[in-house]
Amino acid sequence: MMASFGDSARGHPRSRGRAWSGWGSPLLERSRELGGGPDRATLEIIGVICAVAGFFVLGIVLGPVAMVCGWLAMGRSWSGARPVQAVVALVLGAIDTLLAIIWLASATGSGYGMF
C-alpha cells in the first residue's frame, strides 16, 4: 500500500494548524474582541496628519481621507466620548475638502477654460 501526502488534511482543508488560514489564530480572535481593524489612536494620528497635509497638497484627496479616519476613530457614532484628535481630523478634513472644492470651482471660472 502506498502512503500519499496530505491525506489527513484533505478532509479538513481549513484546519487550525495552517498558519495562513487565520482559523483559530489568537491574533484574529483578539482583534475580534477589540473591534477589529486598526487601532483608534492610529486612525486619529493618520487623520490629523492627512488633514494638516491636505492644506498644502491634494486637499481634495486628503480631506476625505482625514474625515474617514476621524469618523472611524470616533467609533462610527456621534454619541459617547469622542477623542479630541478624532474630532480635529474630522473637522479639518471637512475644511480641506470644502476649500479644495471652492478652489477647483474658482479655477474653472471664466478665462481658464479650453475654449
Side-chain angles (χ1 to χ4, degrees):
M1 209 189 271
M2 290 180 78
S4 62
F5 297 108
D7 272 343
S8 62
R10 292 221 183 248
H12 307 284
R14 298 209 179 210
S15 64
R16 289 183 180 258
R18 294 194 178 182
W20 55 267
S21 69
W23 290 65
S25 168
L27 293 176
L28 181 65
E29 291 173 9
R30 179 75 177 148
S31 70
R32 285 185 184 150
E33 291 172 8
L34 296 175
D39 188 21
R40 287 185 179 179
T42 304
L43 286 171
E44 292 172 4
I45 293 169
I46 291 171
V48 170
I49 290 172
C50 288
V52 171
F55 281 113
F56 302 104
V57 292
L58 296 174
I60 195 72
V61 175
L62 294 176
V65 169
M67 288 178 15
V68 168
C69 287
W71 178 251
L72 292 175
M74 287 178 16
R76 298 182 303 203
S77 70
W78 290 109
S79 62
R82 292 184 287 262
V84 174
Q85 287 181 335
V87 175
V88 167
L90 187 68
V91 170
L92 289 181
I95 292 170
D96 280 347
T97 305
L98 184 65
L99 289 176
I101 290 172
I102 291 171
W103 182 78
L104 286 173
S106 68
T108 59
S110 62
Y112 290 104
M114 184 185 287
F115 297 108

